[in-house]
């Protein structure tokens, strides 16, 4: 299935990613990591080191368990895998995770990790992305990135101002969950193997949202493969119903997302009129509100038990009037929906302000009276710039010249 490419995305809005970075495949280092690989990709790695075809499936299952259920970091811990194969694996591959170059912990418990991905070429120092963990009483949500940066330029979003853009590979996406489980101690205990389950099967990461950097539907093949890894019942075991993919409205890919991943859908709506949405979410010029809502009505598996979440960022004096609220509920009539009001998270240089609390409450009340649950998303991790739309990697904060130096490996020289 063809998915929209970065080239397509680049036509919608500027800036265009540098050609060298557009979807560049990861250049395999001497010993590539197998972390984040799908079952078929792992099988290929085994065949490549001489594991016979008839044995490969069984070996994949064994190794899968160690990688994704136990979270081991050394091939020698695979006690039911023979020594010879363990040595063969260690000689050809690693269990390296993306490098955590910074960790910040907010006063509210939110954690943000800056992750450096493997290099994509000789001039790349390894792209950096952010991944955020948000603990709540009844759940723990991991917000993952699907691209480095974003080619779309929503006017209220910090990520959209980042220049470096490339698709993440499926392994890089799935590895974000592995890193989170490592850092949180969220793999079954490695000490006592027999009792290696967390109490009540309780895990710290229970939900995934694709609400970090990037537009997931411009990278659907890799997002879908990563979801296969994350939701595999013998590994990372995240239920597909607890995985939500958020899109700014890439209409032609929406039904494919539902069919291929069976996950929950979130739509970044943010405006109820095309003229305003064109400004806030420029992709609307290509896929206007009426087309977007029709694609929502057609979303596979849509029902009252599987509602679509409509995200609506509250921008002072821009989209937050009573009339906007009434039009919102009118537009969504007939679509099983939840409406998620997001207080705008400001970032340096933005022209927008967050609506007042009274305004948000009034807006929420109109939506609620029309029969929609309308939780206001509590801003989390504001002190560490981890809230929605504030994800932006350190690389981008460097001047162009400093970046060039780093990319050429001359930093600090
Ligand atoms: N690109 C996808 C997913 C990542 S953005 C999308 O746009 O849906 C995740 C959510 O954060 C989106 O709803 C986005 O509109 C919202 N967001 C972006 N910047 C924000 C900001 N500064 N304050 C609040 N929400 C923001
Ligand atoms: Fe990209 Fe989403 Fe930000 Fe828009 S809101 S620029 S689609 S990450």
């Amino acid at each position: 299935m063809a998915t929209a490419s970065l080239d397509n995305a680049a036509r919608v809005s500027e800036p265009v990613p540098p050609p060298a970075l557009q979807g560049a495949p990861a250049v395999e280092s001497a010993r590539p990591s197998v972390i984040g690989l799908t079952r078929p990709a792992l099988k290929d790695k085994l065949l490549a080191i001489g594991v016979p075809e008839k044995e490969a499936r069984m070996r994949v299952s064994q190794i899968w368990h160690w990688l994704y259920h136990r979270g081991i970091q050394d091939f020698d811990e695979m006690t039911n895998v023979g020594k010879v194969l363990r040595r063969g694996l260690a000689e050809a591959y690693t269990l390296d995770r993306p490098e955590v170059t910074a960790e910040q912990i907010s006063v509210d418990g939110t954690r943000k990790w800056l992750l450096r991905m493997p290099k994509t070429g000789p001039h790349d120092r390894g792209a950096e992305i952010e991944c955020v963990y948000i603990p709540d009483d009844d759940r723990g949500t991991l917000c993952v990135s699907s691209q480095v940066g974003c080619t779309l330029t929503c006017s209220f979003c910090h990520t959209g101002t980042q220049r470096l853009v490339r698709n993440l590979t499926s392994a890089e996406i799935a590895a974000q969950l592995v890193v989170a489980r490592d850092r949180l101690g969220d793999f079954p205990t490695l000490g006592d193997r027999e009792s290696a389950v967390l109490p009540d099967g309780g895990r710290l990461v229970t939900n995934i949202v694709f609400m970090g950097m990037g537009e997931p539907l411009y990278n659907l093949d890799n997002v879908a493969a990563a979801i296969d890894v994350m939701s595999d019942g013998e590994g990372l075991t995240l239920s597909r119903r607890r995985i939500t993919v958020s899109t700014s409205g890439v209409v032609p890919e929406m039904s494919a997302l539902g069919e291929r991943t069976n996950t929950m859908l979130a739509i970044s709506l943010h405006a109820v009129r095309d003229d305003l949405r064109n400004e806030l979410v420029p992709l609307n010029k290509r896929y206007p509100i009426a087309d977007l809502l029709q694609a929502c009505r057609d979303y596979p598996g849509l029902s009252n038990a599987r509602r679509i979440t409509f995200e609506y960022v509250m921008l002072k004096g821009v989209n937050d009037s009573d009339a906007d609220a009434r039009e919102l509920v009118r537009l969504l009539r007939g679509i099983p929906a939840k409406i998620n009001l997001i207080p705008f998270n400001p970032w340096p240089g933005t022209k927008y302000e967050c609506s007042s609390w009274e305004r948000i409450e009034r807006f929420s009340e109109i939506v609620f009276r029309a029969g929609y649950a309308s939780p206001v998303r509590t801003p989390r991790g504001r002190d560490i710039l981890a809230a929605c739309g504030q994800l932006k990697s350190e690389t981008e904060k460097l001047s162009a010249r400093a970046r060039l130096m780093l990319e050429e490996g001359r930093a600090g020289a």
Side-chain angles (χ1 to χ4, degrees), residues 8 10 18 43 104 140 145 167 175 177 202 229 276 284-285 297 316 326 375:
N8 281 346
K43 183 176 168 198
Q104 285 173 283
S145 295
N167 280 337
L177 176 54
V229 176
L276 179 59
N284 193 69
K285 290 181 207 152
R297 290 189 179 88
K316 187 181 210 159
R326 284 193 290 269

Side-chain angles (χ1 to χ4, degrees), residues 182-297:
D182 285 344
R183 304 295 286 199
L184 296 167
D186 195 28
F187 279 112
T189 111
L190 293 172
D192 176 6
R193 309 248 175 220
E194 291 316 307
S195 62
V197 276
L198 297 174
D200 306 325
R203 304 298 288 256
L204 294 173
V205 180
T206 59
N207 293 58
I208 301 271
V209 292
F210 281 80
M211 295 185 186
M213 289 178 172
E215 170 47 58
L217 296 197
Y218 275 151
N219 190 15
L220 181 54
D221 288 337
N222 287 319
V223 166
I227 289 171
D228 287 344
V229 176
M230 291 166 158
S231 64
D232 190 295
E234 287 164 28
L236 293 164
T237 57
L238 254 292
S239 155
R240 288 175 185 269
R241 301 202 47 177
R242 287 174 169 267
I243 300 177
T244 302
V245 177
S246 174
T247 179
S248 56
V250 185
V251 166
E253 301 296 331
M254 282 169 50
S255 67
L257 172 76
E259 274 151 23
R260 292 173 68 180
T261 68
N262 201 19
T263 49
M264 308 300 282
L265 178 66
I267 299 289
S268 294
L269 190 62
H270 306 317
V272 291
R273 298 187 325 268
D274 279 323
D275 59 340
L276 179 59
R277 195 163 188 273
N278 286 347
E279 191 187 314
L280 299 178
V281 184
L283 187 65
N284 193 69
K285 290 181 207 152
R286 200 187 292 181
Y287 310 118
I289 293 173
D291 296 5
L292 177 58
L293 295 182
Q294 190 53 47
C296 289
R297 290 189 179 88

Side-chain angles (χ1 to χ4, degrees), residues 34-347:
V34 294
I35 290 298
L37 294 186
T38 57
R39 282 179 186 265
L42 189 55
K43 183 176 168 198
D44 288 345
K45 294 288 186 216
L46 295 185
L47 296 177
I49 58 168
V51 173
E53 171 77 49
K54 60 180 173 10
E55 223 184 89
R57 230 184 107 182
M58 180 271 287
R59 292 295 184 198
V60 166
S61 288
Q62 276 181 329
I63 294 169
W64 189 267
H65 178 84
W66 290 110
L67 298 187
Y68 296 128
H69 181 72
R70 303 282 187 165
I72 57 142
Q73 309 217 13
D74 185 337
F75 289 110
D76 267 341
E77 293 188 65
M78 298 180 173
T79 46
N80 63 352
V81 175
K83 266 198 183 135
V84 176
L85 178 53
R86 271 173 10 215
R87 195 174 328 122
L89 285 166
E91 277 167 13
Y93 308 119
T94 73
L95 296 177
D96 289 349
R97 281 74 167 138
E99 186 191 348
V100 178
T101 54
E103 175 178 61
Q104 285 173 283
I105 304 180
S106 157
V107 286
D108 67 16
T110 299
R111 288 168 189 244
K112 180 170 82 171
W113 297 292
L114 189 62
L115 304 181
R116 181 173 299 151
M117 296 298 161
K119 297 180 179 192
T120 56
H123 299 298
D124 177 26
R125 69 188 271 260
E128 286 180 323
I129 56 139
E130 286 168 350
C131 178
V132 179
Y133 174 69
I134 306 149
D136 269 309
D137 292 344
D138 60 340
R139 66 178 65 188
T141 305
L142 188 70
C143 177
V144 298
S145 295
S146 56
Q147 298 183 308
V148 180
C150 186
T151 50
L152 300 175
T153 49
C154 302
S155 53
F156 56 89
C157 175
H158 204 197
T159 304
T161 65
Q162 184 168 333
R163 278 165 299 187
L164 291 177
V165 181
R166 77 165 171 88
N167 280 337
L168 290 176
T169 64
S170 61
E172 287 170 332
I173 298 170
Q176 295 171 56
L177 176 54
V178 176
V179 170
R181 290 225 150 125
D182 285 344
R183 304 295 286 199
L184 296 167
D186 195 28
F187 279 112
T189 111
L190 293 172
D192 176 6
R193 309 248 175 220
E194 291 316 307
S195 62
V197 276
L198 297 174
D200 306 325
R203 304 298 288 256
L204 294 173
V205 180
T206 59
N207 293 58
I208 301 271
V209 292
F210 281 80
M211 295 185 186
M213 289 178 172
E215 170 47 58
L217 296 197
Y218 275 151
N219 190 15
L220 181 54
D221 288 337
N222 287 319
V223 166
I227 289 171
D228 287 344
V229 176
M230 291 166 158
S231 64
D232 190 295
E234 287 164 28
L236 293 164
T237 57
L238 254 292
S239 155
R240 288 175 185 269
R241 301 202 47 177
R242 287 174 169 267
I243 300 177
T244 302
V245 177
S246 174
T247 179
S248 56
V250 185
V251 166
E253 301 296 331
M254 282 169 50
S255 67
L257 172 76
E259 274 151 23
R260 292 173 68 180
T261 68
N262 201 19
T263 49
M264 308 300 282
L265 178 66
I267 299 289
S268 294
L269 190 62
H270 306 317
V272 291
R273 298 187 325 268
D274 279 323
D275 59 340
L276 179 59
R277 195 163 188 273
N278 286 347
E279 191 187 314
L280 299 178
V281 184
L283 187 65
N284 193 69
K285 290 181 207 152
R286 200 187 292 181
Y287 310 118
I289 293 173
D291 296 5
L292 177 58
L293 295 182
Q294 190 53 47
C296 289
R297 290 189 179 88
D298 297 340
Y299 189 67
L302 183 63
S303 69
N304 276 335
R306 302 197 60 162
R307 294 161 189 261
I308 294 175
T309 300
F310 287 88
E311 297 158 277
Y312 196 96
V313 64
M314 299 299 296
L315 302 170
K316 187 181 210 159
V318 175
N319 64 353
D320 62 353
S321 70
D322 287 0
D324 288 316
R326 284 193 290 269
E327 180 61 6
L328 177 61
V329 294
R330 195 192 67 77
L331 276 178
L332 299 189
R333 204 165 290 151
I335 304 177
K338 286 182 269 190
I339 297 169
N340 203 334
L341 303 179
I342 315 175
F344 170 64
N345 288 306
W347 38 274

